[in-house]
Amino acid sequence: LKEMVQTAKSQSATEEEERAWTFHTTPFKDFGKTEDDALMAFLRWSVVDSHPIEDDDESCQLIGMANYQISTSTANNEKINVSKAFRRLTSYVHWMESVSSHLLDPPLSYASISPSLSIFSLRVTHDSCGRLVWWVNLGKTQTNLLRDQSPKETIRLFVWVAHLLFLDEGAQTNGLVVIDDMGEIGFWDYMTMLPVQVGISIDRFLISVTPLKAKNVVLMHRPRWVEIAYSLLSWFLTSKMKKRVTMIEKGDENEMLEKIVGGTSLIPANFGDFEGDLIVDIVGKQHGHEIVIS
């Protein structure tokens, strides 16, 4: 894969394209990572993405299970799809270059995005299977302040969070779980939370560009319009996709969240109405602060 990157760089038609292949917009320093770490993330994604859901690691008894595991005895025979990894990597490089003007001044870092992070209620943890868990709490997100942000600030926030997710070894090897407490958010508030073009661009980045595979997408405290939208969308979802979605009904939050992540000690203290015990998430460990109880 490194050779393919070097070839792409040497064959670039423009200086801009050549610069893109230097990963100059990627915030490696902020996460203590290197270009090799990023390439490994794309290679691991190519293996996981090539296996059906039936190959998931059943040793993880949590809902959604964990990624297909490469054993040391068969690793040499595993079909690491380097071409697939490179195609995804190419999309990543081009997308990052397309928003480079937003990412370089100032350089992307936790310090530079922390004001935006405080608006959007996000937590990142690991569960008992070592999967990365991304907690999104729309009920406690200050949507009015998020709406007032510039597109640049919003893009910087989500690009930083995306790198936090896909550069995490737990996410690469065991998978990602997304838990979204929608807080009964209204249709208009949800649809206008981000500018349309910014929202579309971020969705593409998270879904079609980054090397992330969600093992489980959890929706709780859903408003009626989400119920209707999902019932219509489900007609077009494959059985594999449907197995990756967990709907938590009102009154079942405590029991289900424990089955999803493995216990109250792994649930953020201020997530929704659930009394979790975790007061320091991954971001807090890296940057020295506790979760604010609100």
Side-chain angles (χ1 to χ4, degrees), residues 126-265:
H126 288 114
D127 64 21
S128 62
C129 286
R131 303 178 301 182
L132 192 69
V133 186
W134 184 16
W135 306 81
V136 181
N137 195 334
L138 290 181
K140 293 185 177 179
T141 292
Q142 302 173 68
T143 54
N144 59 322
L145 297 181
L146 185 64
R147 193 178 295 113
D148 291 340
Q149 278 197 149
S150 69
K152 175 180 178 177
E153 292 172 309
T154 302
I155 288 172
R156 287 173 61 86
L157 167 65
F158 281 97
V159 169
W160 187 90
V161 170
H163 284 83
L164 172 68
L165 301 180
F166 86 72
L167 289 173
D168 181 86
E169 189 167 349
Q172 296 171 23
T173 57
N174 299 308
L176 173 70
V177 176
V178 181
I179 302 179
D180 188 351
D181 185 339
M182 302 198 72
E184 303 289 347
I185 190 171
F187 177 78
W188 181 252
D189 282 343
Y190 185 83
M191 297 303 293
T192 60
M193 190 164 48
L194 300 177
V196 174
Q197 291 304 317
V198 172
I200 292 174
S201 181
I202 290 173
D203 281 347
R204 177 174 175 269
F205 180 60
L206 293 174
I207 298 171
S208 304
V209 174
T210 58
L212 288 167
K213 294 298 293 184
K215 307 305 297 178
N216 196 4
V217 176
V218 181
L219 299 177
M220 54 191 292
H221 296 147
R222 304 176 305 279
R224 179 59 179 162
W225 67 266
V226 170
E227 300 277 5
I228 295 172
Y230 183 76
S231 65
L232 295 174
L233 179 64
S234 63
W235 286 91
F236 305 98
L237 298 179
T238 65
S239 58
K240 179 179 179 179
M241 291 179 178
K242 290 178 182 178
K243 288 180 180 178
R244 299 293 194 209
V245 178
T246 300
M247 298 290 195
I248 298 182
E249 303 304 329
K250 290 181 180 178
D252 295 338
E253 294 91 347
N254 292 10
E255 178 184 358
M256 290 297 294
L257 283 179
E258 291 192 39
K259 289 181 178 179
I260 290 166
V261 300
T264 58
S265 63

Side-chain angles (χ1 to χ4, degrees), residues 27-73:
F28 290 128
K29 184 178 180 180
D30 213 43
F31 300 107
K33 301 292 185 178
T34 66
E35 180 180 325
D36 284 354
D37 293 314
L39 298 186
M40 181 61 73
F42 283 89
L43 288 171
R44 284 173 169 162
W45 170 85
S46 76
V47 175
V48 172
D49 197 53
S50 299
H51 285 269
I53 193 172
E54 290 77 16
D55 287 347
D56 284 349
D57 181 11
E58 295 184 0
S59 65
C60 175
Q61 297 301 305
L62 300 178
I63 296 174
M65 296 189 291
N67 280 345
Y68 171 81
Q69 299 296 309
I70 303 175
S71 67
T72 55
S73 60

